Coordinates of all heavy atoms in Angstrom, one line a residue:
M1 N -25.5 -22.5 -8.6 CA -25.0 -21.7 -7.3 C -24.2 -20.5 -8.0 O -23.4 -20.6 -8.9 CB -24.1 -22.7 -6.7 CG -23.5 -22.1 -5.3 SD -22.9 -23.5 -4.4 CE -22.0 -22.6 -3.3
V2 N -24.5 -19.4 -7.3 CA -23.8 -18.2 -7.6 C -22.6 -17.9 -6.8 O -22.5 -18.2 -5.5 CB -24.8 -16.9 -7.3 CG1 -24.1 -15.7 -7.7 CG2 -26.0 -17.1 -8.2
A3 N -21.5 -17.6 -7.5 CA -20.1 -17.4 -6.9 C -20.2 -16.2 -6.1 O -20.8 -15.1 -6.6 CB -19.0 -17.5 -7.8
K4 N -19.5 -16.1 -4.9 CA -19.6 -14.8 -4.2 C -18.5 -13.9 -4.7 O -17.4 -14.3 -5.0 CB -19.1 -15.2 -2.7 CG -19.2 -14.1 -1.8 CD -19.1 -14.5 -0.3 CE -19.4 -13.3 0.5 NZ -19.2 -13.7 2.0
A5 N -18.7 -12.5 -4.8 CA -17.7 -11.6 -5.4 C -16.6 -11.5 -4.4 O -16.8 -11.4 -3.2 CB -18.5 -10.3 -5.6
V6 N -15.5 -11.4 -4.8 CA -14.2 -11.3 -4.1 C -13.6 -9.9 -4.4 O -13.4 -9.5 -5.6 CB -13.2 -12.3 -4.4 CG1 -11.9 -12.1 -3.6 CG2 -13.8 -13.7 -4.2
P7 N -13.4 -9.0 -3.3 CA -12.9 -7.7 -3.6 C -11.5 -7.8 -4.1 O -10.7 -8.5 -3.8 CB -12.8 -7.0 -2.2 CG -13.1 -8.1 -1.2 CD -13.6 -9.3 -1.9
L8 N -11.3 -6.9 -5.2 CA -9.9 -6.9 -5.9 C -9.3 -5.5 -5.7 O -10.1 -4.5 -5.4 CB -10.2 -7.1 -7.5 CG -10.6 -8.3 -7.8 CD1 -10.9 -8.4 -9.4 CD2 -9.7 -9.4 -7.4
R9 N -8.0 -5.4 -5.6 CA -7.2 -4.2 -5.4 C -6.0 -4.2 -6.3 O -5.7 -5.3 -6.8 CB -6.8 -3.9 -3.9 CG -7.9 -3.9 -3.0 CD -8.6 -2.6 -3.0 NE -9.6 -2.5 -1.9 CZ -10.9 -2.9 -2.1 NH1 -11.3 -3.6 -3.1 NH2 -11.8 -2.7 -1.0
T10 N -5.6 -3.0 -6.6 CA -4.3 -2.9 -7.5 C -3.1 -2.6 -6.7 O -3.2 -1.6 -5.8 CB -4.6 -1.8 -8.6 OG1 -5.7 -2.3 -9.4 CG2 -3.5 -1.8 -9.5
C11 N -2.1 -3.3 -6.9 CA -0.8 -3.0 -6.2 C -0.3 -1.7 -6.8 O -0.3 -1.5 -8.0 CB 0.2 -4.1 -6.4 SG 1.8 -3.7 -5.8
V12 N 0.1 -0.7 -5.9 CA 0.6 0.5 -6.5 C 2.0 0.4 -7.0 O 2.5 1.3 -7.7 CB 0.6 1.6 -5.3 CG1 -0.8 2.1 -5.0 CG2 1.4 1.4 -4.2
G13 N 2.7 -0.8 -6.6 CA 4.0 -0.8 -7.2 C 4.1 -1.5 -8.5 O 4.4 -0.9 -9.6
C14 N 3.6 -2.8 -8.7 CA 3.6 -3.5 -9.9 C 2.3 -3.3 -10.8 O 2.3 -3.8 -11.9 CB 3.8 -5.1 -9.8 SG 2.5 -5.9 -8.7
R15 N 1.3 -2.8 -10.3 CA 0.0 -2.4 -11.0 C -0.7 -3.7 -11.3 O -1.5 -3.7 -12.2 CB 0.3 -1.5 -12.2 CG 1.0 -0.2 -11.9 CD 0.2 0.8 -11.2 NE -1.0 1.1 -12.0 CZ -2.0 1.6 -11.3 NH1 -2.2 1.8 -10.2 NH2 -3.1 1.9 -12.1
V16 N -0.6 -4.8 -10.6 CA -1.3 -6.0 -10.9 C -2.5 -6.1 -9.9 O -2.4 -5.8 -8.7 CB -0.4 -7.3 -10.6 CG1 -1.1 -8.5 -10.7 CG2 0.8 -7.3 -11.6
R17 N -3.7 -6.3 -10.5 CA -4.9 -6.5 -9.8 C -4.9 -7.8 -9.2 O -4.7 -8.8 -9.9 CB -6.1 -6.3 -10.7 CG -6.4 -4.8 -11.0 CD -7.6 -4.6 -11.8 NE -8.8 -5.1 -11.1 CZ -9.7 -4.4 -10.5 NH1 -9.7 -3.0 -10.7 NH2 -10.7 -4.9 -9.9
T18 N -5.1 -8.0 -7.9 CA -5.2 -9.2 -7.1 C -6.3 -9.2 -6.0 O -6.8 -8.0 -5.8 CB -3.9 -9.6 -6.7 OG1 -3.9 -11.0 -6.2 CG2 -3.3 -8.7 -5.6
V19 N -6.5 -10.3 -5.4 CA -7.4 -10.3 -4.3 C -6.9 -9.6 -3.2 O -5.7 -9.4 -2.7 CB -7.5 -11.7 -3.9 CG1 -8.6 -12.0 -2.6 CG2 -8.0 -12.8 -5.0
K20 N -7.9 -8.8 -2.5 CA -7.5 -7.8 -1.4 C -6.8 -8.5 -0.3 O -5.8 -7.9 0.3 CB -8.8 -7.2 -0.9 CG -8.8 -6.3 0.2 CD -10.0 -5.9 0.8 CE -9.9 -5.1 2.0 NZ -11.3 -4.7 2.4
S21 N -7.0 -9.8 0.1 CA -6.4 -10.5 1.1 C -4.9 -10.8 0.8 O -4.2 -11.0 1.8 CB -7.0 -11.8 1.3 OG -7.0 -12.6 0.2
E22 N -4.5 -10.7 -0.5 CA -3.0 -10.8 -0.7 C -2.2 -9.7 -0.7 O -0.9 -9.6 -0.8 CB -2.9 -11.5 -2.0 CG -3.4 -13.0 -2.2 CD -3.3 -13.6 -3.5 OE1 -2.6 -13.0 -4.4 OE2 -3.9 -14.6 -3.7
L23 N -2.8 -8.4 -0.4 CA -2.2 -7.2 -0.5 C -2.1 -6.5 0.8 O -2.9 -6.9 1.8 CB -2.9 -6.2 -1.5 CG -2.9 -6.6 -2.9 CD1 -3.8 -5.7 -3.7 CD2 -1.4 -6.6 -3.5
L24 N -1.2 -5.6 1.2 CA -1.0 -5.0 2.4 C -1.6 -3.6 2.3 O -1.3 -2.9 1.3 CB 0.5 -5.0 2.8 CG 0.9 -4.2 4.0 CD1 0.4 -4.9 5.2 CD2 2.5 -4.1 4.0
R25 N -2.5 -3.2 3.2 CA -3.0 -1.9 3.1 C -2.2 -1.0 3.7 O -1.6 -1.2 5.0 CB -4.4 -1.9 3.8 CG -5.0 -0.6 3.7 CD -6.6 -0.6 4.4 NE -7.2 0.7 4.1 CZ -7.3 1.6 5.0 NH1 -6.8 1.5 6.2 NH2 -7.9 2.8 4.6
L26 N -2.0 0.1 3.1 CA -1.1 1.2 3.7 C -2.0 2.5 3.9 O -2.8 2.8 3.2 CB 0.1 1.5 2.7 CG 0.8 0.4 2.2 CD1 1.8 0.7 1.0 CD2 1.6 -0.3 3.4
V27 N -1.5 3.3 4.9 CA -2.1 4.6 5.1 C -1.0 5.6 5.5 O 0.1 5.2 5.9 CB -3.2 4.6 6.2 CG1 -4.4 3.8 5.9 CG2 -2.7 4.1 7.5
V28 N -1.4 6.8 5.4 CA -0.3 7.9 5.8 C -0.8 8.5 7.2 O -1.9 9.0 7.4 CB -0.3 9.0 4.8 CG1 0.6 10.1 5.2 CG2 0.1 8.4 3.5
V29 N 0.2 8.4 8.1 CA 0.0 9.1 9.4 C 1.1 10.0 9.6 O 2.3 9.6 9.7 CB 0.1 7.9 10.6 CG1 -0.2 8.6 11.9 CG2 -1.0 6.9 10.3
E30 N 0.8 11.3 9.6 CA 1.8 12.4 9.8 C 3.0 12.3 8.8 O 4.1 12.3 9.2 CB 2.2 12.4 11.2 CG 1.2 12.8 12.1 CD 1.7 12.7 13.6 OE1 2.9 12.5 14.0 OE2 0.8 13.0 14.5
D31 N 2.7 12.1 7.5 CA 3.6 12.1 6.4 C 4.5 10.8 6.5 O 5.5 10.7 5.8 CB 4.6 13.4 6.4 CG 3.7 14.5 5.9 OD1 2.6 14.3 5.3 OD2 4.1 15.7 6.1
V32 N 4.1 9.9 7.1 CA 4.9 8.5 7.2 C 3.9 7.5 6.7 O 2.7 7.3 7.2 CB 5.2 8.2 8.7 CG1 5.9 6.9 8.8 CG2 6.2 9.3 9.2
I33 N 4.4 6.6 5.8 CA 3.5 5.5 5.3 C 3.7 4.4 6.2 O 4.8 3.9 6.5 CB 4.0 5.2 3.9 CG1 4.0 6.3 2.8 CG2 3.2 4.0 3.4 CD1 4.7 6.0 1.6
V34 N 2.5 3.9 6.7 CA 2.5 2.8 7.8 C 1.7 1.7 7.3 O 0.6 1.9 6.6 CB 2.1 3.4 9.2 CG1 3.1 4.3 9.7 CG2 0.7 3.9 9.1
P35 N 2.0 0.5 7.6 CA 1.2 -0.7 7.1 C -0.1 -0.7 8.2 O 0.1 -0.5 9.3 CB 2.1 -1.9 7.4 CG 3.1 -1.5 8.2 CD 3.3 0.0 8.1
D36 N -1.1 -1.0 7.6 CA -2.5 -1.1 8.3 C -2.8 -2.6 8.4 O -3.6 -3.1 7.5 CB -3.6 -0.2 7.7 CG -4.9 -0.3 8.4 OD1 -4.8 -0.9 9.6 OD2 -5.8 0.2 7.8
L37 N -2.3 -3.3 9.3 CA -2.5 -4.7 9.3 C -3.9 -5.2 9.6 O -4.4 -6.2 9.2 CB -1.5 -5.5 10.4 CG 0.0 -5.2 10.1 CD1 0.8 -5.7 11.3 CD2 0.5 -5.6 8.8
R38 N -4.6 -4.5 10.4 CA -6.0 -4.8 10.7 C -7.0 -4.2 9.7 O -8.1 -4.6 9.7 CB -6.4 -4.4 12.0 CG -5.7 -5.1 13.2 CD -6.2 -4.7 14.5 NE -5.6 -5.5 15.5 CZ -6.0 -5.5 16.8 NH1 -7.0 -4.7 17.1 NH2 -5.4 -6.3 17.7
G39 N -6.5 -3.2 8.8 CA -7.5 -2.6 8.0 C -8.4 -1.7 8.6 O -9.5 -1.5 8.0
R40 N -8.1 -1.1 9.7 CA -9.0 -0.3 10.4 C -8.6 1.2 10.6 O -9.4 2.0 11.2 CB -9.3 -0.9 11.9 CG -9.6 -2.3 11.8 CD -11.1 -2.4 12.0 NE -11.6 -3.8 12.3 CZ -12.2 -4.4 11.5 NH1 -12.7 -3.9 10.3 NH2 -12.6 -5.7 11.7
L41 N -7.3 1.5 10.2 CA -6.9 2.9 10.3 C -7.6 3.9 9.4 O -8.0 3.5 8.3 CB -5.3 3.0 10.1 CG -4.4 2.3 11.1 CD1 -3.0 2.4 10.6 CD2 -4.6 2.9 12.5
P42 N -7.9 5.1 9.9 CA -8.7 6.0 9.1 C -7.8 6.6 8.1 O -6.6 6.6 8.1 CB -9.1 7.0 10.1 CG -8.1 6.9 11.3 CD -7.7 5.6 11.3
G43 N -8.5 7.1 7.0 CA -7.8 7.7 5.9 C -7.8 7.0 4.6 O -8.2 5.8 4.6
R44 N -7.3 7.6 3.6 CA -7.3 7.0 2.3 C -6.2 5.9 2.3 O -5.1 6.1 2.7 CB -6.8 8.1 1.3 CG -6.9 7.5 -0.1 CD -6.7 8.7 -1.1 NE -6.9 8.2 -2.4 CZ -8.1 7.9 -3.1 NH1 -9.1 8.1 -2.4 NH2 -8.0 7.5 -4.2
G45 N -6.5 4.7 1.8 CA -5.6 3.7 1.8 C -5.0 3.3 0.5 O -5.6 3.8 -0.6
A46 N -3.9 2.6 0.4 CA -3.3 2.1 -0.8 C -2.8 0.7 -0.6 O -2.6 0.4 0.5 CB -2.1 3.0 -1.3
S47 N -2.8 -0.1 -1.6 CA -2.5 -1.5 -1.5 C -1.2 -1.8 -2.2 O -0.8 -1.2 -3.2 CB -3.6 -2.4 -2.1 OG -4.8 -2.1 -1.4
L48 N -0.4 -2.7 -1.5 CA 0.9 -3.1 -2.1 C 1.2 -4.5 -1.8 O 0.8 -5.1 -0.6 CB 1.9 -2.3 -1.3 CG 3.4 -2.4 -1.7 CD1 3.7 -1.6 -3.1 CD2 4.3 -1.8 -0.7
H49 N 1.7 -5.3 -2.6 CA 2.2 -6.6 -2.4 C 3.2 -6.5 -1.2 O 4.1 -5.6 -1.3 CB 2.8 -7.3 -3.6 CG 1.8 -7.8 -4.6 ND1 1.7 -7.1 -5.8 CD2 1.0 -8.8 -4.6 CE1 0.7 -7.8 -6.5 NE2 0.3 -8.8 -5.8
P50 N 3.3 -7.4 -0.3 CA 4.2 -7.3 0.9 C 5.6 -7.9 0.4 O 6.1 -8.9 0.8 CB 3.6 -8.2 1.9 CG 2.7 -9.2 1.2 CD 2.2 -8.4 0.0
A51 N 6.1 -7.2 -0.6 CA 7.5 -7.6 -1.2 C 8.3 -6.2 -1.4 O 7.8 -5.1 -1.8 CB 7.3 -8.3 -2.5
L52 N 9.5 -6.3 -1.2 CA 10.4 -5.2 -1.3 C 10.5 -4.7 -2.8 O 10.6 -3.6 -3.1 CB 11.8 -5.4 -0.9 CG 12.0 -5.4 0.7 CD1 13.4 -5.9 1.1 CD2 11.8 -4.0 1.2
G53 N 10.3 -5.6 -3.7 CA 10.4 -5.3 -5.2 C 9.3 -4.4 -5.5 O 9.4 -3.4 -6.2
C54 N 8.0 -4.7 -4.9 CA 6.9 -3.8 -5.3 C 7.1 -2.3 -4.6 O 6.7 -1.4 -5.2 CB 5.6 -4.4 -4.9 SG 5.1 -5.7 -6.0
L55 N 7.6 -2.4 -3.4 CA 7.9 -1.1 -2.8 C 8.9 -0.2 -3.6 O 8.6 0.9 -3.8 CB 8.5 -1.3 -1.3 CG 8.9 -0.1 -0.6 CD1 7.7 0.9 -0.3 CD2 9.6 -0.4 0.6
E56 N 9.9 -0.9 -4.1 CA 10.9 -0.2 -4.9 C 10.3 0.4 -6.2 O 10.6 1.5 -6.6 CB 12.1 -1.1 -5.2 CG 13.0 -1.5 -4.0 CD 13.4 -0.3 -3.3 OE1 13.9 0.7 -3.9 OE2 13.6 -0.4 -2.0
L57 N 9.5 -0.4 -6.8 CA 8.8 0.0 -8.1 C 7.9 1.2 -7.6 O 7.9 2.2 -8.5 CB 7.9 -1.1 -8.6 CG 8.6 -2.1 -9.5 CD1 7.6 -3.2 -9.9 CD2 9.0 -1.4 -10.8
A58 N 7.1 1.2 -6.6 CA 6.2 2.3 -6.3 C 7.0 3.5 -5.9 O 6.7 4.6 -6.3 CB 5.4 1.9 -5.0
M59 N 8.2 3.4 -5.3 CA 9.0 4.5 -5.0 C 9.6 5.1 -6.2 O 9.6 6.4 -6.4 CB 10.2 4.1 -4.0 CG 9.7 3.6 -2.7 SD 8.9 4.9 -1.7 CE 10.2 5.9 -1.4
R60 N 10.0 4.3 -7.2 CA 10.6 4.8 -8.3 C 9.6 5.5 -9.2 O 9.9 6.5 -9.9 CB 11.3 3.6 -9.1 CG 12.0 4.1 -10.3 CD 13.0 3.0 -11.0 NE 12.1 1.9 -11.4 CZ 12.3 0.6 -11.1 NH1 13.3 0.2 -10.4 NH2 11.6 -0.3 -11.7
R61 N 8.4 5.1 -9.2 CA 7.3 5.6 -10.0 C 6.6 6.8 -9.3 O 5.7 7.4 -9.9 CB 6.3 4.6 -10.4 CG 6.8 3.5 -11.4 CD 5.8 2.4 -11.7 NE 4.5 3.0 -12.0 CZ 3.4 2.8 -11.2 NH1 3.5 2.1 -10.1 NH2 2.2 3.3 -11.5
R62 N 7.0 7.1 -8.1 CA 6.3 8.1 -7.3 C 4.8 7.9 -7.1 O 4.0 8.8 -7.2 CB 6.5 9.5 -7.8 CG 8.1 9.9 -7.8 CD 8.3 11.3 -8.3 NE 9.7 11.5 -8.5 CZ 10.2 11.9 -9.6 NH1 9.6 12.2 -10.6 NH2 11.6 12.1 -9.5
A63 N 4.6 6.6 -6.9 CA 3.1 6.2 -6.9 C 2.4 6.5 -5.7 O 1.2 6.7 -5.6 CB 3.0 4.7 -7.2
F64 N 3.1 6.6 -4.5 CA 2.5 6.9 -3.3 C 1.9 8.3 -3.2 O 0.7 8.5 -2.6 CB 3.5 6.7 -2.1 CG 3.8 5.3 -1.9 CD1 5.1 4.9 -1.9 CD2 2.9 4.3 -1.6 CE1 5.5 3.5 -1.7 CE2 3.1 3.0 -1.3 CZ 4.5 2.6 -1.4
S65 N 2.5 9.3 -3.7 CA 1.9 10.6 -3.7 C 0.6 10.6 -4.5 O -0.3 11.5 -4.1 CB 2.9 11.6 -4.2 OG 3.3 11.4 -5.5
R66 N 0.5 9.9 -5.6 CA -0.7 9.8 -6.4 C -1.7 9.1 -5.7 O -2.9 9.4 -5.6 CB -0.3 9.3 -7.8 CG 0.3 10.2 -8.7 CD 0.3 9.7 -10.2 NE 0.9 8.5 -10.3 CZ 2.2 8.2 -10.4 NH1 3.0 9.2 -10.5 NH2 2.6 7.0 -10.6
A67 N -1.3 7.9 -5.1 CA -2.4 7.1 -4.5 C -2.9 7.7 -3.3 O -4.2 7.5 -3.1 CB -1.7 5.8 -4.0
F68 N -2.1 8.4 -2.5 CA -2.7 9.1 -1.4 C -3.1 10.5 -1.7 O -3.6 11.2 -0.7 CB -1.6 9.2 -0.3 CG -1.4 7.7 0.4 CD1 0.0 7.2 0.1 CD2 -2.3 7.0 0.9 CE1 0.3 5.9 0.6 CE2 -2.0 5.8 1.5 CZ -0.7 5.2 1.3
R69 N -3.1 10.9 -2.9 CA -3.6 12.2 -3.4 C -2.9 13.4 -2.4 O -3.7 14.2 -2.0 CB -5.0 12.3 -3.3 CG -5.7 11.4 -4.3 CD -7.2 11.5 -4.4 NE -7.6 10.6 -5.3 CZ -9.0 10.2 -5.5 NH1 -9.8 11.0 -4.8 NH2 -9.3 9.4 -6.4
T70 N -1.7 13.4 -2.3 CA -1.0 14.3 -1.6 C 0.2 14.8 -2.4 O 0.9 14.1 -3.2 CB -0.4 13.9 -0.2 OG1 0.1 15.0 0.4 CG2 0.5 12.7 -0.3
G71 N 0.7 16.1 -2.3 CA 1.8 16.6 -3.0 C 3.1 16.6 -2.1 O 4.2 16.9 -2.7
R72 N 2.9 16.2 -1.0 CA 4.0 16.2 0.0 C 4.9 14.9 -0.2 O 4.4 13.9 -0.8 CB 3.5 16.2 1.4 CG 2.6 17.3 1.7 CD 2.4 17.4 3.2 NE 1.6 16.2 3.7 CZ 0.3 16.0 3.7 NH1 -0.5 17.0 3.2 NH2 -0.2 15.0 4.2
T73 N 6.1 15.1 0.3 CA 7.1 13.9 0.2 C 6.7 13.0 1.4 O 6.6 13.5 2.5 CB 8.5 14.4 0.4 OG1 8.8 15.2 -0.8 CG2 9.5 13.2 0.3
L74 N 6.5 11.7 1.2 CA 6.1 10.8 2.3 C 7.3 9.9 2.6 O 8.1 9.5 1.7 CB 5.0 9.8 1.8 CG 3.7 10.6 1.4 CD1 2.7 9.6 0.7 CD2 3.2 11.4 2.5
D75 N 7.4 9.6 3.9 CA 8.6 8.8 4.5 C 8.1 7.3 4.4 O 7.2 7.0 5.0 CB 8.9 9.3 5.8 CG 10.0 8.4 6.4 OD1 10.8 7.8 5.7 OD2 10.1 8.6 7.7
A76 N 8.9 6.5 3.7 CA 8.5 5.1 3.6 C 9.6 4.2 4.3 O 9.7 3.0 4.3 CB 8.6 4.6 2.1
A77 N 10.4 4.8 5.3 CA 11.4 4.0 5.9 C 10.8 3.0 6.9 O 11.2 1.8 6.9 CB 12.3 5.0 6.7
R78 N 9.7 3.3 7.5 CA 9.0 2.4 8.3 C 8.5 1.3 7.7 O 8.5 0.0 8.0 CB 8.0 3.1 9.2 CG 7.1 2.3 10.2 CD 6.4 3.1 11.1 NE 5.5 2.3 11.9 CZ 4.5 2.7 12.8 NH1 4.3 4.0 12.8 NH2 3.8 1.8 13.5
L79 N 7.8 1.6 6.5 CA 7.3 0.4 5.6 C 8.4 -0.4 5.2 O 8.3 -1.7 5.1 CB 6.6 1.1 4.5 CG 6.0 0.1 3.4 CD1 5.1 -0.8 4.1 CD2 5.3 0.8 2.3
R80 N 9.6 0.1 4.7 CA 10.8 -0.7 4.2 C 11.1 -1.7 5.3 O 11.5 -2.7 5.1 CB 11.9 0.3 3.8 CG 13.1 -0.5 3.2 CD 14.2 0.5 2.8 NE 13.7 1.6 2.0 CZ 13.5 1.6 0.7 NH1 13.6 0.5 0.0 NH2 13.1 2.7 0.1
D81 N 11.3 -1.1 6.6 CA 11.8 -1.9 7.7 C 10.7 -3.1 8.0 O 11.2 -4.1 8.2 CB 11.9 -1.1 9.0 CG 13.1 0.0 8.9 OD1 13.9 -0.3 8.0 OD2 13.1 0.9 9.6
F82 N 9.6 -2.7 7.8 CA 8.5 -3.7 8.0 C 8.7 -4.9 7.1 O 8.6 -6.1 7.3 CB 7.1 -3.2 8.0 CG 6.0 -4.1 8.0 CD1 5.6 -4.6 9.4 CD2 5.3 -4.6 7.0 CE1 4.6 -5.5 9.4 CE2 4.2 -5.5 7.1 CZ 3.9 -6.0 8.2
L83 N 8.7 -4.5 5.7 CA 8.8 -5.5 4.7 C 10.2 -6.3 4.7 O 10.2 -7.4 4.3 CB 8.7 -4.9 3.3 CG 7.3 -4.3 3.0 CD1 7.3 -3.5 1.7 CD2 6.3 -5.2 3.1
A84 N 11.2 -5.7 5.2 CA 12.5 -6.3 5.3 C 12.5 -7.5 6.4 O 13.2 -8.4 6.3 CB 13.6 -5.4 5.6
G85 N 11.6 -7.3 7.4 CA 11.5 -8.3 8.4 C 12.5 -8.1 9.5 O 13.2 -7.2 9.5
P86 N 12.3 -9.0 10.4 CA 13.3 -8.9 11.7 C 14.8 -9.2 11.4 O 15.2 -9.8 10.5 CB 12.7 -10.0 12.6 CG 11.8 -10.9 11.8 CD 11.5 -10.2 10.6

């Protein structure tokens, strides 16, 4: 029996490759990084573990501007609020 291939993605924060379903897809909408929960928003996506630690690593390494291939400063406040929870 042949095993089915599972899509892998790399977290932009910790740089660990893992199964796509364990990562949160992010997109940029008007210079704001927003979580794409359904995976349907248009545009270039980046993947991140849903943890504040990975977000902090990505911010410190300036990984979002590289992942989204933009030279602009991106706002991650909405993403930080989402990851912090209610």
